[in-house]
Amino acid sequence: MAKQMDMIHGPLLPKILMVALPLAVTSILQQLFNSADVAVVGRFVGSSALAAVGSNGPIINIIINLFVGLSVGGNVVVATLLGQRKTSELKDAVHTVLTVALISGVVLVFFGIFFTRLILIWISTPEDVLPLATVYLRIFFLGMPFSMFYNFGSAVLRSKGDTKRPLVALVISGFVNVALNLFLVVVVKLGVADVAIATVVAQGISAGIVMVVLLREDGPLKFSFKNLCVRKKYLLWMMRIGIPSGVQGMVFSFSNICIQSSINTFGSSAMAGSAAALNYEYFTFFVTTAFSQTAVTFMSQNYGAHDFARCRRVALLCVLCSFAVTFAEAMTFSFFRHFFMSVYTDDPIALDFAERRTMCVEFFEYMPGIYEIPAGCMRALGVSVIPTVIIIVGSCLLRLCWIWGVVPTHHTWETLLYIYPITWVITIVLMGIAFAVFVRRRLR
């Protein structure tokens, strides 16, 4: 059994890295395994299938982000109770979090089955891509109960500093995903349905491993089916922190869907190129989210223990570590962009779109950590609405104004994509002001 990390005593930097780096590797591997879907269909099926699979990312995100936000709230609840040493309350809190996970997964299955085609039509998916995209998305959503349990269960384990066992679960399920992708696409040859089926099977394996880990856990974090419950106190606490975070993710994904709609107007080659480049943006951004989630966990425990000076050090160290790693990633992917993009497609037109997107977006991908981590720290302290509003305004509403007001009159690839670094700078300024004001009050 993994021992609970002592986050409220001792040196911070080694412990932050011990939590954040496995979490970053977990997310990157998850994206790599998801990218196997993109790479396999791009190489063995064609550009239309690549566009069908790759362009679904924003749609998937907008639908599940509310529930992923709730898992952040669950992390704060469990980590804060651990910091306060309220072990008598942890059992009900943990089982409330996991019950919400299972209910969320079932809701997403029905939503995905009945509404995916309408959403794909709404975002102007080309006719040659629409049938394939619909098949992929409907099968993908059948795995949502597995995905939700993995995410919420990992949040429970992360609250005590355990990021290694969720990583092991993902590695095992990921290799199964890649193997099934190659077998089903190359041998069985069903196309995009194959990669969707492989993804659902892999999600089931990762969820099953995390469930076994929690079933075998010692102490108050131990999971039991007979103890599944929803306690109003912990549900409201989780919702108070998680819903603003989830709404932010939904609005953020909505703006990305609108951007995807603009990308679709450039044709299937642009869609394929954008899907290829987006994978590397995910690789970089997942490091940011790893340090942001680590900051949430450490801040929650230390705030629960009333060590406010240590809370400030947590915020600073997480921002600095995130910036260092993401800057190195962004520069590597940007300067060797042709090599990295050619992994996903050998279509020269799609490659051109991919490389141009890399220089407009990935080159600046170290910026989001400068506002995401302070936002996570504020949520850990119970201030969840303010960072949500700032990110919605700075990184969502301004992008919508840009694609509806500027892009139609200056319809170029670069004009569309430069909105990312522009809005990141604005959001950094706004979040810095809010962090200085509200965190000072909370930690006074």
Side-chain angles (χ1 to χ4, degrees):
M1 299 297 175
K3 184 179 179 181
Q4 179 178 326
M5 178 183 290
D6 184 358
M7 299 184 184
I8 59 179
H9 302 99
L12 273 172
L13 181 58
K15 294 179 180 181
I16 286 174
L17 293 176
M18 286 175 62
V19 174
L21 293 182
L23 186 57
V25 172
T26 299
S27 298
I28 291 171
L29 281 176
Q30 192 168 30
Q31 182 58 36
L32 275 171
F33 293 138
N34 291 341
S35 298
D37 297 354
V38 180
V40 169
V41 297
R43 287 288 183 176
F44 294 101
V45 184
S47 292
S48 293
L50 173 60
V53 174
S55 62
N56 275 319
I59 300 171
I60 293 170
N61 290 336
I62 195 172
I63 297 172
I64 69 173
N65 266 342
L66 174 61
F67 302 98
V68 172
L70 283 176
S71 75
V72 173
N75 184 9
V76 171
V77 170
V78 177
T80 302
L81 291 174
L82 283 170
Q84 294 173 341
R85 299 292 191 261
K86 294 184 177 180
T87 54
S88 60
E89 300 184 30
L90 277 167
K91 185 177 78 171
D92 283 348
V94 167
H95 284 86
T96 296
V97 170
L98 296 177
T99 302
V100 170
L102 294 172
I103 294 172
S104 301
V106 173
V107 169
L108 285 170
V109 168
F110 287 98
F111 188 92
I113 290 173
F114 292 109
F115 293 101
T116 51
R117 184 176 176 85
L118 291 175
I119 296 172
L120 288 167
I121 292 172
W122 176 66
I123 65 167
S124 305
T125 303
E127 288 295 328
D128 62 329
V129 176
L130 181 60
L132 296 176
T134 303
V135 169
Y136 176 84
L137 208 52
R138 283 178 174 165
I139 297 174
F140 180 90
F141 272 98
L142 293 176
M144 282 299 101
F146 303 134
S147 178
M148 289 296 102
F149 192 91
Y150 174 82
N151 283 309
F152 280 71
S154 297
V156 170
L157 294 172
R158 190 167 62 245
S159 66
K160 70 166 190 171
D162 183 3
T163 55
K164 294 180 181 178
R165 289 186 291 181
L167 171 59
V168 172
L170 189 71
V171 169
I172 294 172
S173 65
F175 280 115
V176 171
N177 185 26
V178 173
L180 278 177
N181 273 333
L182 292 171
F183 174 75
L184 292 174
V185 171
V186 178
V187 179
V188 181
K189 297 183 178 179
L190 291 178
V192 297
D194 288 333
V195 294
I197 292 169
T199 299
V200 171
V201 172
Q203 288 172 340
I205 292 172
S206 61
I209 294 173
V210 168
M211 181 179 291
V212 170
V213 168
L214 289 170
L215 286 169
R216 295 180 177 179
E217 187 70 23
D218 292 326
L221 300 188
K222 181 179 177 63
F223 172 62
S224 172
F225 284 102
K226 67 180 182 180
N227 292 326
L228 285 172
C229 63
V230 177
R231 296 286 183 262
K232 182 178 178 181
K233 173 183 177 180
Y234 306 115
L235 177 63
L236 293 178
W237 186 359
M238 181 171 63
M239 291 174 66
R240 179 166 54 85
I241 302 298
I243 285 182
S245 176
V247 169
Q248 170 197 309
M250 290 178 70
V251 176
F252 191 82
S253 295
F254 173 76
S255 71
N256 284 340
I257 284 181
C258 294
I259 293 173
Q260 182 65 50
S261 182
S262 292
I263 289 171
N264 293 353
T265 64
F266 288 87
S268 59
S269 292
M271 293 171 66
S274 180
L278 193 59
N279 285 286
Y280 297 101
E281 294 166 31
Y282 285 147
F283 297 155
T284 309
F285 186 71
F286 286 148
V287 173
T288 292
T289 58
F291 280 101
S292 177
Q293 292 171 5
T294 300
V296 168
T297 302
F298 275 80
M299 288 285 281
S300 297
Q301 284 211 22
N302 284 281
Y303 187 60
H306 296 136
D307 191 339
F308 301 148
R310 193 174 176 89
C311 287
R312 295 186 182 94
R313 293 199 298 275
V314 167
L316 178 61
L317 285 172
C318 286
V319 170
L320 292 177
C321 290
S322 172
F323 183 87
V325 179
T326 55
F327 183 83
E329 283 185 289
M331 295 303 102
T332 300
F333 292 141
S334 298
F335 288 120
F336 299 100
R337 56 191 179 277
H338 182 79
F339 167 76
F340 287 112
M341 298 308 128
S342 62
V343 171
Y344 293 100
T345 180
D346 54 5
D347 182 340
I349 300 177
L351 270 174
D352 178 64
F353 277 109
E355 292 183 33
R356 288 159 62 193
R357 173 168 179 135
T358 298
M359 295 309 296
C360 292
V361 183
E362 173 63 23
F363 187 80
F364 303 97
E365 193 67 47
Y366 47 85
M367 289 184 177
I370 305 174
Y371 68 80
E372 285 285 350
I373 293 170
C377 291
M378 293 170 71
R379 293 190 181 98
L381 303 180
V383 182
S384 192
V385 174
I386 297 299
T388 296
V389 171
I390 290 173
I391 293 177
I392 287 175
V393 172
S395 291
C396 301
L397 295 182
L398 290 179
R399 290 180 184 178
L400 296 179
C401 293
W402 184 270
I403 63 175
W404 290 336
V406 177
V407 174
T409 57
H410 300 81
H411 194 251
T412 68
W413 191 237
E414 283 72 17
T415 299
L416 171 61
L417 296 174
Y418 272 131
I419 189 55
Y420 285 100
I422 291 172
T423 53
W424 286 337
V425 171
I426 295 171
T427 307
I428 287 169
V429 173
L430 296 176
M431 192 66 72
I433 295 171
F435 185 81
V437 172
F438 288 96
V439 172
R440 182 180 298 175
R441 293 178 182 174
R442 288 284 174 148
L443 301 183
R444 183 172 295 168

